[in-house]
Amino acid sequence: MKQEINFDVIRELIRISKAMEENRLVNTYEGNLSAMADGLMYITPTSTRKRDLTEELIAVLDGEGKQIYGERRPSSEKTMHAGAYRLRSDIGAVIHCHATYLTAYAMCQIPLDAKCHPEMLMFFRDIPVAPYGRPGTADIFDHAAPLLKERNIVLLGNHGVLAVGSTLEKAFARVEAAEKFAQTLTIAKSLGPTVRLPEEDIAFLSTLPITV
């Protein structure tokens, strides 16, 4: 039985993709987004500028990975996206990108683990780095999966960042907030050593529910 394509999902994928390009989080060659609905994966195509996406360019894959809609091939990172959906049933969207500051930390394999900013602790606790995996292969996700079981955003060693959410909007918000924090931390470190929060505040903030 042929599955019906959900064009509301396609339009949301296009909207978020364009917002990410406007925020310089993706470009023609870097970054891919997907959403899962009714057993179908909707994913951005390979080598296509996100601001130029149209409905017919979005690739739709069935449960077996066969492309059933779209004029262009899906992103080469489709294996990573599919792995995320298999890992957790609450994941409805996946974003992989090479946001500048987050990717710089990933290239240095430095986790974002700063106790100098209360919002970082409230939103993320920290953002760990998964070991390097070869692009376009299952290695990337295999290395990130143990971390992603407990988190919604991880750095991919020497590569970029992977974020998930129940919706594309939530995954986008996580990337956007994390990139801003990484940028701010980089600037702070250029000014001098960051100042650690009082230990009682760190302990308190670390017990709050993660809000992002």
Side-chain angles (χ1 to χ4, degrees):
M1 181 178 178
K2 187 176 181 180
Q3 291 179 269
E4 185 176 348
I5 304 300
N6 188 326
F7 285 91
D8 286 339
V9 174
I10 287 179
R11 285 187 282 269
E12 178 68 356
L13 187 58
I14 292 172
R15 184 183 75 83
I16 297 296
S17 295
K18 291 183 177 181
M20 289 198 67
E21 178 152 355
E22 288 172 3
N23 283 271
R24 298 184 178 182
L25 297 171
V26 296
N27 59 43
T28 301
Y29 304 110
E30 297 179 329
N32 32 81
L33 297 79
S34 73
M36 178 69 75
D38 300 321
L40 299 179
M41 183 168 71
Y42 299 73
I43 187 167
T44 51
T46 186
S47 302
T48 304
R49 185 172 288 281
K50 308 304 183 289
R51 72 184 183 199
D52 294 336
L53 286 173
T54 56
E55 293 181 5
E56 63 273 11
L57 297 181
I58 299 299
V60 182
L61 310 182
D62 65 16
E64 298 178 351
K66 178 183 177 182
Q67 185 169 350
I68 62 172
Y69 179 86
E71 295 179 357
R72 295 189 182 174
R73 292 182 293 109
S75 166
S76 61
E77 299 290 9
K78 62 183 183 293
T79 301
M80 177 166 54
H81 290 253
Y85 295 121
R86 289 193 299 268
L87 181 70
R88 284 170 40 192
S89 61
D90 64 318
I91 294 176
V94 177
I95 292 176
H96 164 56
C97 68
H98 300 166
T100 303
Y101 286 88
L102 291 172
T103 301
Y105 277 85
M107 290 169 68
C108 295
Q109 295 199 10
I110 299 174
L112 284 166
D113 185 14
K115 301 298 190 295
C116 58
H117 195 269
E119 281 73 18
M120 177 65 183
L121 288 170
M122 288 190 294
F123 293 164
F124 301 108
R125 299 287 190 267
D126 60 10
I127 301 177
V129 184
Y132 170 74
R134 182 176 296 175
T137 71
D139 287 350
I140 295 182
F141 185 75
D142 289 346
H143 294 164
L147 300 174
L148 201 63
K149 286 181 179 180
E150 304 294 334
R151 301 169 184 276
N152 292 315
I153 184 168
V154 299
L155 299 180
L156 306 173
N158 302 88
H159 191 139
V161 60
L162 178 64
V164 300
S166 58
T167 66
L168 279 162
E169 183 65 47
K170 288 183 178 180
F172 171 41
R174 285 166 179 147
V175 172
E176 187 178 38
E179 172 70 356
K180 179 64 181 297
F181 178 76
Q183 180 181 14
T184 303
L185 183 60
T186 300
I187 295 171
K189 287 182 175 180
S190 74
L191 297 174
T194 58
V195 178
R196 188 178 175 92
L197 293 171
E199 292 303 320
E200 60 268 27
D201 281 23
I202 293 174
F204 170 72
L205 293 168
S206 296
T207 65
L208 297 177
I210 294 176
T211 56
V212 169

